[in-house]
Structures are given as C-alpha cells and as structure tokens.
C-alpha cells in the first residue's frame, strides 16, 4: 500500500514544512538571492505544489498548470553545491516536523530525487 503523505501529515504540517524551508533559505545567501524580496508568493506556490504531489488538493495544477519543475527552474544555474544547499534547507525543515519514520523516509527520498533532477550545470 502506498502512503498518502498529504493525508498522513495533514495540511498544517505541509504548511509548516514550507514555512521552515523558507526560514532556512533566508539563512543561505547564495540561495536566498534567487528569490524575490517577498517570499510569500513562493511559499504559497511551494505549498500548492507539495500538496499536489503528496496526494492533496490539485490547486497547483489549477493555478499554474503542469509543474514542469526542471523547465521552470532552468533559468537559474543549479550545480551540485546549490543542490546541496537547497537539500540541506529542506532536510532541516523535515527535521522540525513531528512525523512517522515512514513518512520522513518518503519525504527524504522524494526531495533527494527532485534535487538531483534539478541540477543543470
């Protein structure tokens, strides 16, 4: 049986994950400079995206269309170092959320796969 991460975590924990992630981004100048001054729209889009891919509402598709992650991010140079910085922010965020080990492992596996896929340099 495949686990529905969105149902297992619930909306509030997905939102908390996103909030923690952007707090960590704020501490990494090399990553923070890629975002506009106001992070609120990016937070909302990431929440929509994660909700969608983790089995929740499809607001991202309705508002933005197909994610096309690599294509949407191709405008920024993403090398192994940037991948590691981004992934470190996300893994630290996961550590701040109380969840079952199975869900934690599924999140880590997903984000490692996505981070590796985004490297374009």
């Amino acid at each position: 049986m495949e686990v529905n991460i969105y149902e297992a975590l619930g909306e509030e924990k997905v939102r908390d994950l996103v909030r923690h992630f952007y707090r960590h981004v704020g501490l990494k100048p090399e990553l923070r400079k890629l975002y506009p001054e106001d992070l609120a729209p990016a937070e909302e889009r990431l929440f929509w995206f994660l909700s969608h891919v983790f089995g929740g509402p499809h607001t991202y598709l309705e508002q933005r269309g197909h994610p096309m992650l690599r294509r949407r991010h191709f405008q920024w140079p993403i090398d192994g170092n940037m991948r590691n910085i981004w992934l470190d922010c996300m893994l630290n965020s996961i550590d701040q959320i109380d969840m079952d080990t199975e869900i934690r492992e599924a999140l880590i596996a997903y984000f490692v796969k996505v981070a590796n896929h985004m490297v374009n340099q």
Side-chain angles (χ1 to χ4, degrees):
M1 179 174 102
E2 193 169 310
V3 64
N4 180 308
I5 294 173
Y6 185 85
E7 287 180 10
L9 286 178
E11 178 180 334
E12 205 48 47
K13 285 187 179 182
V14 176
R15 284 196 183 276
D16 286 345
L17 178 66
V18 171
R19 278 192 287 268
H20 289 301
F21 173 74
Y22 280 104
R23 283 190 198 117
H24 288 289
V25 166
L27 301 174
K28 305 288 185 178
E30 56 272 70
L31 187 56
R32 178 62 179 93
K33 71 181 180 182
L34 303 179
Y35 292 91
E37 186 175 330
D38 181 8
L39 291 175
E43 283 189 36
E44 192 67 12
R45 286 190 302 272
L46 182 57
F47 169 72
W48 290 344
F49 174 75
L50 293 180
S51 295
H52 169 73
V53 298
F54 293 155
H58 299 292
T59 308
Y60 187 92
L61 283 179
E62 295 163 5
Q63 298 293 322
R64 310 256 312 155
H66 189 280
M68 302 180 295
L69 279 185
R70 190 166 164 82
R71 183 184 212 185
R72 287 186 195 266
H73 291 81
F74 205 73
Q75 63 185 306
W76 298 287
I78 302 171
D79 60 10
N81 184 57
M82 188 62 76
R83 170 221 176 259
N84 291 344
I85 294 167
W86 183 92
L87 190 56
D88 184 58
C89 290
M90 189 55 77
L91 296 178
N92 282 323
S93 301
I94 290 169
D95 286 344
Q96 294 180 282
I97 307 294
D98 182 41
M99 66 184 80
D100 291 340
T101 302
E102 179 183 16
I103 300 302
R104 179 177 309 283
E105 290 173 358
L107 285 176
I108 291 169
Y110 173 77
F111 287 121
V112 167
K113 180 181 172 183
V114 167
N116 288 338
H117 180 68
M118 301 305 287
V119 173
N120 60 26
Q121 300 285 306

